[in-house]
Amino acid sequence: MPRQRMAPGEHGRIAERSSGGKFFASTYVRDADGKRRRVERSSDKSAEDARRLLQRHLGTRRAPLDAQVVNDKTTLSELFEQWIEGKVKRGEIKPQTENQYRHVWTKHGDCQLGALRIRELETPRAHSHIQSVAATTPAQAAYLRLVLREMYALAVRFGVMQINPIVGTATAKRNRKPVRAVSADEFATVRAAVADYTRSRDGKGGPRPGRLLPAFVEVLAATGARPGEVLALRWSDVDLLADPPTVTIVGTLLDHGAAGPLHRQDERKHGSPAHTVVLPRFGVEALTEMVGQSGMDGPVFATRDGGWVSLANLRRCLRDALPEELSWVTPHSFRRTVGTVIRDAHGSAAAQQQLSHTELATTERHYLQRVSRGPDVRVALDKFAGQQSGDRK
């Protein structure tokens, strides 16, 4: 009767031999690719020790993967490049996201872990490194963990690893500051400070600092749009003669790293659909004034040459204009402010709709200032206390 063929993953009888005072244990393994390979381990102690070493190796052994792009000899730096290039090629991430991932890996991963081979980074070491980064920059640690987890997911798909060692690491804790909205009195102070700032060089020659800053603040507060979305507005997106007047947000402005020089991206964050908002009176007035500065063609917020305006420049101007007590206010603060104002007047669902969030939880957690005052429930509590008193009599 012919000998039964080994199934993939099985090995044959372990043979032992000795030579020159050294002990060897060997066997043949049929790998997942169907090929039969000889595997051997040695020991200076005894044949039994050599056998134990071989059995231990067979428990974790993988078939040689030299022909694969990712194999057990691939370093983490090489794995990162394979992973990020695949994401870009498949169109899964935008240039600004690629730039963010590369920045995190270069700063916190390449020099510290990059020379390790895939199987050499175990969960305890990965966890320790992520937490050490989190001690100083929690946000960067969260991105590093995401990058490593997806890199090792690729290694699992290639069969180099059975489990993803990053899954067992703890998420980097981020201490989120409470959502803070600008109050009506504070908004009046912001407006006055911005107006004073833009007049600071009148009569001194040269361009006024923050020429577009007042209108920028007004449109942010009138729409609740992201700063980059406001700066990406074109006059073709604005309809001041409609009833009611509207702006439609269909793009965003990018100005960093791999995203290239300052340019307009013709879609919103996460590829969200176009979003139309109704303009309040003060928003209409601000945009009407802008018509005289930039005409009705091209960008709403335009440089003197008709180009796009950098958010970094306006952010710096706002920071310089505000008094110390309002130094916490940034362009993004107005998005939280609009959400909070609408929540207080019309409810959380209306705030979610204005800010164009897919999930209400996102609006409530990140964009609405927490309400810390309870409702007026005196009648219910008095009734409860009265009933209890009557029961005791």
Side-chain angles (χ1 to χ4, degrees), residues 94 96-97 226 252 265 267-273 358:
K94 291 185 171 62
Q96 59 268 32
T97 305
R226 298 178 180 89
T252 190
Q265 175 180 284
E267 62 178 344
R268 297 173 59 221
K269 187 176 181 180
H270 304 311
S272 300
T358 305

Side-chain angles (χ1 to χ4, degrees), residues 12-199:
R13 182 179 65 84
I14 295 178
E16 299 170 359
R17 67 182 178 86
S18 61
S19 177
K22 204 165 189 176
F23 301 91
F24 299 86
S26 63
T27 188
Y28 281 92
V29 179
R30 188 169 182 231
D31 285 317
D33 59 3
K35 294 182 179 179
R36 187 168 168 267
R37 296 181 176 91
R38 185 171 181 273
V39 183
E40 183 178 79
R41 285 295 180 271
S42 64
S43 171
D44 294 327
K45 298 179 181 179
S46 64
E48 183 61 29
D49 190 52
R51 174 185 284 269
R52 282 196 297 269
L53 290 174
L54 177 59
Q55 289 174 330
R56 191 179 305 155
H57 171 69
L58 291 173
T60 59
R61 180 181 179 276
R62 301 287 176 271
L65 300 170
D66 291 337
Q68 289 189 174
V69 175
V70 175
N71 55 58
D72 55 2
K73 295 181 181 179
T74 301
T75 66
L76 292 188
S77 289
E78 294 167 340
L79 180 63
F80 173 81
E81 289 300 327
Q82 290 293 332
W83 169 72
I84 196 74
E85 288 174 9
K87 299 279 281 188
V88 172
K89 185 177 180 180
R90 293 188 297 273
E92 295 177 4
I93 56 175
K94 291 185 171 62
Q96 59 268 32
T97 305
E98 178 194 357
N99 180 61
Q100 191 170 40
Y101 288 163
R102 286 189 179 278
H103 171 74
V104 168
W105 177 251
T106 300
K107 188 171 183 179
H108 300 293
D110 194 28
C111 294
Q112 299 87 341
L113 306 172
L116 293 174
R117 290 183 176 179
I118 292 175
R119 292 186 188 172
E120 292 177 333
L121 180 63
E122 298 180 341
T123 300
R125 180 170 182 181
H127 171 77
S128 177
H129 180 59
I130 291 169
Q131 295 306 312
S132 68
V133 176
T136 54
T137 52
Q140 295 285 295
Y143 277 116
L144 176 63
R145 184 176 183 271
L146 182 151
V147 167
L148 285 170
R149 190 180 70 236
E150 291 206 13
M151 285 167 56
Y152 270 92
L154 177 63
V156 171
R157 289 196 292 274
F158 270 97
V160 181
M161 303 287 289
Q162 278 189 313
I163 61 172
N164 188 329
I166 311 303
V167 172
T169 62
T171 303
K173 184 178 180 181
R174 300 175 65 177
N175 297 319
R176 296 185 182 276
K177 295 181 180 180
V179 175
R180 187 174 181 182
V182 179
S183 69
D185 289 341
E186 288 170 335
F187 186 49
T189 304
V190 168
R191 279 172 153 172
V194 166
D196 289 342
Y197 180 75
T198 56
R199 288 193 297 264

Side-chain angles (χ1 to χ4, degrees), residues 210-220 223 226-235 238 247 253 262 283 286-287 290-291 293-295 297-304 306-311 314:
R211 174 179 61 90
L212 300 174
L213 186 59
F216 180 54
V217 169
E218 296 295 301
V219 177
L220 285 173
T223 61
R226 298 178 180 89
E229 292 174 337
V230 168
L231 292 179
L233 285 174
R234 303 161 301 189
W235 283 112
V238 179
V247 296
L253 210 61
L262 181 65
L287 287 169
M290 292 291 292
V291 174
Q293 297 189 43
S294 61
D297 188 33
V300 173
F301 294 89
T303 64
R304 296 183 185 278
W308 300 106
V309 176
S310 168
L311 174 58
L314 285 175

Side-chain angles (χ1 to χ4, degrees), residues 362-376:
T362 302
T363 311
E364 293 180 330
R365 184 179 182 187
H366 301 291
Y367 290 90
L368 303 183
Q369 184 168 291
R370 184 178 175 183
V371 178
S372 57
R373 179 177 178 174
D376 187 350

Side-chain angles (χ1 to χ4, degrees), residues 235-282:
W235 283 112
S236 58
D237 305 322
V238 179
D239 192 348
L240 297 178
L241 300 179
D243 186 15
T246 62
V247 296
T248 301
I249 301 161
V250 292
T252 190
L253 210 61
L254 300 178
D255 183 18
H256 50 77
L262 181 65
H263 69 284
R264 185 182 189 276
Q265 175 180 284
D266 294 328
E267 62 178 344
R268 297 173 59 221
K269 187 176 181 180
H270 304 311
S272 300
H275 177 59
T276 299
V277 296
V278 176
L279 286 170
R281 186 179 62 202
F282 72 89

